[in-house]
């Protein structure tokens, strides 16, 4: 095998490379793992943990060696065969995976391990999935990098809080109103940014997100500024509250259904509420992708000049994407407000926008299931690895680096066509032979 | 059908078109040839309103379209296969064609699709394949097919032979003729491949640095010694 001979592993070079990685690890590990501050009588003292440093450096060194070996093996086989294989398998398994995921999400509250903590993480994850799906319309489909998405989330949350407190409107009435208000703000932001592209669009949307937050802090009469709004009404189950003691002339949820009171009822209800909202977002996106406007979004992401030459009106197309994306953020925002019972501008900082964008980009732009997977990695991951204590963020960072190395275009980077003329012909070539396998239609 | 009179177009302070007059009669194939940078593509793009003509008038079927927005110009019956093809690489062939039908009446979508597949059977075979995986010639066919999906009366083609093998070029030009003769679509063709473009054309124009320097029937220009010396005898 000539190819194998060309790429024979050079042990000296490999050792050198691993040694260099080990050296970098040493420099990082001494301050990160080697020194520990301990409170002692008379102030903080510093303990040294050289054994930890040795473990870190050793594992990096050996890990690097293994990585080199793995890389050489891949090179010998030639090309990214494995990636295509995974993509192809995932593509066929996608509907099953999706159905299993939804079934799991529906059954989650009844599973034996579903305690308060699991359900809280579930609600948190579903909220971000919904935000990711909403932003996927703007970033994933229409290709407009929006770094201020949290502004619409905030508009939705404050709309619900203020409407519910001042006008005593129910959650189900406030929800569409909050969505409409957020959509209106999306429309407003859409106008000035229509002419911008790429980096410039990102900067302006980033600014918009900050403007909304600063308005929320400073417009004290309306928003009570940094104090936030508390006592936001909880949603009811078709008029039934989740309180322990029923009002004198009525029922609460548990008395109506003859259940024992449990604080979990409300949590489970909130969980299903956000699950339904998220699934509605998803169904909407899947449907609209097949309509002309959805196709125009994707076409606009691919090539704006070509779109123009085909008679697509880029202004209206971008505006619909911005407006609809903002609407779903508004829905999610009012859910957030009713779940928390308290909101303040603190909850709507830039980092939230960054996380949502990261979810969309990491999942693979435009991929609905990618958003779910990325949310599990980004939101549930750090929650579940709290046991790692101070190394949590380190592990998280390492995970991100690995994803960027192995799946640089997102976890699920392939795109499923919205229509097929006829069932794809059976592949005659094996996986991993260039175009044929990639498209499955040659 | 399309009359361009005294059109000037600028890129910033650079004058790309310096007063172009050009007439396209319904049912014709009209070719515009010229060297790199003469302003051929700019003229096509100016017809579509991007960039906009600074002076002059462009009239399509009796309607002044000089200052209309691009999507309205396209909706009025002009379609363009842009320079460099510009198909949507990540979308399937069928989706590319559907996007081409954006401005068309959905009622005759099925017939239009069938018509495009008849012209380019290879596109039907590849309909579920991603646009970016097609060969150069197939991508050009897709670009033309996509433009035809809007049922244009006037088809603008910008360098359809660019970067294609001679055999594929011949096939493309044969199809252009078919589109013109059998489907009655008026074609405005911008080409550097002067020989093919002139042979096909009912009427042809030569453009030099933003101005029309010569015009005549395709056969006349093909026989013209000036044209032969400047555009034909190097390559063919």
């Amino acid at each position: 095998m000539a190819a194998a001979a060309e790429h024979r592993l050079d042990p000296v070079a490999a050792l050198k490379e691993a040694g260099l990685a080990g050296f970098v690890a040493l420099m990082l590990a001494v301050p990160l793992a080697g020194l520990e501050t301990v409170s002692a009588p008379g102030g903080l003292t510093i303990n040294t943990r050289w054994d930890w440093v040795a473990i870190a450096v050793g594992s990096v060194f050996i890990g690097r060696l293994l990585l080199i070996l793995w890389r050489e093996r891949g090179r010998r086989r030639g090309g990214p065969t494995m990636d295509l294989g995974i993509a192809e398998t995932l593509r066929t398994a996608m509907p099953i995976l999706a159905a299993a995921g939804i079934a799991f999400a529906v059954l989650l509250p009844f599973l034996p391990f579903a305690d308060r903590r699991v359900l809280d993480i579930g609600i948190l994850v579903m909220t971000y999935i919904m935000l990711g799906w909403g932003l996927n319309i703007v970033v994933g489909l229409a290709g407009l990098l929006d770094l201020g998405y949290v502004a619409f989330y905030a508009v939705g949350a404050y709309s619900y809080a203020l409407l519910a407190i001042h006008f005593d409107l129910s959650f189900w009435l406030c929800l569409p109103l909050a969505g409409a208000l957020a959509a209106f703000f999306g429309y407003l932001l859409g106008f000035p940014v229509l002419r911008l592209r790429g980096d410039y669009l990102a900067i302006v949307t980033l600014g918009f997100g900050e403007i909304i937050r600063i308005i929320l802090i400073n417009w004290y009469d309306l928003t009570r500024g940094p104090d936030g709004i508390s006592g936001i009404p909880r949603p009811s189950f078709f008029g039934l509250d989740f309180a322990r003691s029923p009002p004198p002339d009525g029922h609460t949820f548990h008395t109506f259904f003859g259940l024992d009171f449990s604080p979990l009822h409300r949590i489970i209800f909130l969980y299903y509420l956000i699950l339904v909202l998220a699934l509605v977002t998803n169904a909407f996106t899947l449907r609209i992708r097949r309509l002309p406007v959805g196709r125009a979004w994707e076409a606009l992401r691919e090539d704006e000049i070509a779109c123009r030459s085909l008679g697509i009106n880029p202004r209206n197309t971008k505006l619909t994407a911005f407006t609809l994306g903002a609407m779903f953020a508004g829905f999610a925002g009012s859910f957030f407000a009713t779940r928390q019972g308290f909101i303040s501008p603190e909850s709507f900082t830039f980092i939230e926008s960054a996380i949502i964008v990261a979810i969309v980009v990491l999942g693979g732009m435009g991929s609905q299931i990618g958003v779910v997977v990325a949310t599990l990695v980004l939101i549930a991951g750090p929650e579940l690895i709290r046991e790692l204590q101070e190394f949590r963020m380190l592990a998280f960072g390492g995970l991100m680096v690995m994803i960027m190395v192995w799946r640089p275009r997102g976890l699920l980077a392939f795109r499923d066509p919205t229509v097929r003329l006829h069932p794809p012909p059976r592949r005659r070539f094996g996986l991993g032979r260039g175009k044929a396998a990639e498209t499955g239609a040659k | 059908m399309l009359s361009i009179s005294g059109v000037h177009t600028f890129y910033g302070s650079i004058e790309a078109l310096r007063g172009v007059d050009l007439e396209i009669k319904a049912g014709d194939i009209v070719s515009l040839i010229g060297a790199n940078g003469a302003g051929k593509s700019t003229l096509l793009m100016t017809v579509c309103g991007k960039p906009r003509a600074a002076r002059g008038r462009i009239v399509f079927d009796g309607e002044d379209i000089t200052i209309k927005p691009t999507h309205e110009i396209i909706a009025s019956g002009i379609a363009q296969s842009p320079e460099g093809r510009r198909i949507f690489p990540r979308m399937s062939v069928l989706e590319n064609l559907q996007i081409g039908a954006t401005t068309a009446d959905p009622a005759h979508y099925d017939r239009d699709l069938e018509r495009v597949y008849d012209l380019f059977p290879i596109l039907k075979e590849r309909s579920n394949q991603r646009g970016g995986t097609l060969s150069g010639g197939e991508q050009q066919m897709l670009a033309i097919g996509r433009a035809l999906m809007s049922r244009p009366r006037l088809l603008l083609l910008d360098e359809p032979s660019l970067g294609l093998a001679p055999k594929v070029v011949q096939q493309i030009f044969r199809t252009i003729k078919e589109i013109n003769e059998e489907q009655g679509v008026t074609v405005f063709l911008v080409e550097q491949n002067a020989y093919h473009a002139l042979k096909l054309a009912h009427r042809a124009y030569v453009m030099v640095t933003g101005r029309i320097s010569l015009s005549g029937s395709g056969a006349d220009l093909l026989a013209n010694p000036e044209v032969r010396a400047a555009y034909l005898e190097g390559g063919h």
Side-chain angles (χ1 to χ4, degrees), chain A residues 295 302-303 415 418 438, chain B residues 86 90 95 98 128 130:
Chain A
R295 260 200 298 275
E302 303 270 301
D303 193 333
R415 173 184 174 280
T418 55
E438 197 179 333
Chain B
R86 290 194 173 269
R90 286 184 69 200
E95 284 172 314
Q98 284 180 329
N128 297 330
R130 284 195 300 160

Side-chain angles (χ1 to χ4, degrees), chain B:
Chain B
M1 175 176 241
L2 183 76
S3 105
I4 300 169
S5 46
V7 163
H8 293 251
T9 301
F10 292 83
Y11 290 117
S13 62
I14 299 164
E15 191 173 12
L17 298 182
R18 308 164 178 227
V20 174
D21 298 292
L22 197 146
E23 196 74 37
I24 294 174
K25 277 210 315 246
D28 274 3
I29 296 181
V30 176
S31 291
L32 176 65
I33 61 169
N36 261 338
K40 306 186 300 291
S41 293
T42 305
L43 181 61
L44 268 201
M45 284 150 64
T46 305
V47 170
C48 291
K50 189 97 185 175
R52 192 153 284 169
R55 262 181 289 156
R57 253 162 70 90
I58 304 171
V59 178
F60 177 61
D61 270 354
E63 198 182 349
D64 191 337
I65 57 167
T66 324
I67 54 160
K68 274 193 171 182
T70 304
H71 59 271
E72 283 180 25
I73 295 175
I74 305 292
S76 70
I78 298 179
Q80 185 192 10
S81 156
E83 185 176 14
R85 309 191 267 269
R86 290 194 173 269
I87 57 154
F88 303 110
R90 286 184 69 200
M91 307 180 83
S92 74
V93 168
L94 183 55
E95 284 172 314
N96 268 278
L97 293 175
Q98 284 180 329
I99 292 165
T102 301
T103 59
D105 179 0
H108 44 67
Y109 164 77
D110 288 331
R111 244 180 310 147
D112 292 346
L113 187 67
E114 212 42 59
R115 218 169 57 143
V116 169
Y117 281 157
D118 283 344
L119 274 176
F120 305 109
I122 188 78
L123 293 185
K124 185 167 191 172
E125 246 174 76
R126 301 248 192 274
S127 65
N128 297 330
Q129 202 167 315
R130 284 195 300 160
T133 65
L134 299 182
S135 74
E138 289 161 0
Q139 290 192 10
Q140 185 58 57
M141 294 175 201
L142 179 55
I144 295 174
R146 189 178 63 178
L148 285 175
M149 286 301 286
S150 67
R151 279 219 167 178
R153 281 170 290 146
L154 173 63
L155 177 63
L156 309 179
L157 297 172
D158 198 344
E159 303 252 10
S161 75
L162 193 73
L164 301 181
K167 217 177 134 188
V168 184
V169 172
Q170 279 186 358
Q171 195 192 340
I172 296 274
F173 280 110
R174 258 203 315 277
T175 317
I176 293 172
K177 200 167 178 192
E178 203 181 322
I179 292 168
N180 174 255
E181 283 175 1
E182 285 168 29
Q183 311 195 349
V185 179
T186 311
V187 176
F188 183 28
L189 176 66
V190 161
E191 258 301 337
Q192 289 211 48
N193 192 329
Y195 174 73
H196 277 110
L198 293 178
K199 231 177 99 180
L200 203 62
H202 299 107
R203 193 167 173 77
Y205 293 82
V206 179
M207 189 174 233
V208 177
T209 54
R211 282 196 189 89
I212 300 293
S213 68
L214 268 175
S215 67
S217 75
D220 282 352
L221 288 192
L222 209 49
N224 183 313
E226 253 178 85
V227 174
R228 293 192 74 86
Y231 300 106
L232 296 170
E233 260 144 29
H236 292 273

Side-chain angles (χ1 to χ4, degrees), chain A residues 87-99 369:
Chain A
E88 194 64 22
T89 319
L90 273 177
R91 192 192 308 245
T92 44
M94 202 52 74
I96 305 164
L97 267 175
I369 293 193

Side-chain angles (χ1 to χ4, degrees), chain A residues 167-290:
Chain A
F167 299 101
D168 203 25
L169 299 177
S170 83
F171 175 76
W172 296 106
L173 205 61
C174 288
L175 185 72
L177 285 175
L181 268 167
F184 175 67
F185 273 82
Y187 186 75
L188 279 188
L189 170 66
F191 261 108
V193 304
L194 284 169
R195 299 168 152 272
L196 305 175
R197 248 176 263 178
D199 313 355
Y200 302 98
L201 175 75
I203 293 167
V204 173
T205 52
L206 182 100
F208 181 78
E210 285 302 289
I211 289 170
I212 292 284
R213 192 175 63 87
I214 289 167
I215 289 176
L216 291 178
I217 291 178
N218 288 296
W219 194 354
Y220 194 87
D221 297 339
L222 183 74
T223 65
R224 277 186 256 159
D227 302 346
I229 299 177
S230 55
I232 299 167
R234 303 296 194 160
S236 55
F237 183 81
F238 298 104
L240 296 168
D241 280 335
F242 289 92
R244 180 182 289 274
S245 45
D249 53 344
H251 279 292
T252 59
F253 180 77
H254 68 103
T255 59
F256 187 84
F257 287 98
L259 302 166
D260 290 332
F261 176 76
S262 154
L264 263 187
H265 287 159
R266 187 172 63 220
I267 307 295
I268 293 175
F269 172 66
L270 284 171
Y271 174 79
Y272 277 122
L273 183 59
I274 187 67
L275 180 65
V276 168
L277 284 174
L279 287 179
V280 165
T281 313
N282 182 36
F284 179 88
T285 309
L286 290 180
R287 180 84 189 97
I288 205 163
R289 256 192 84 201
R290 289 159 205 274

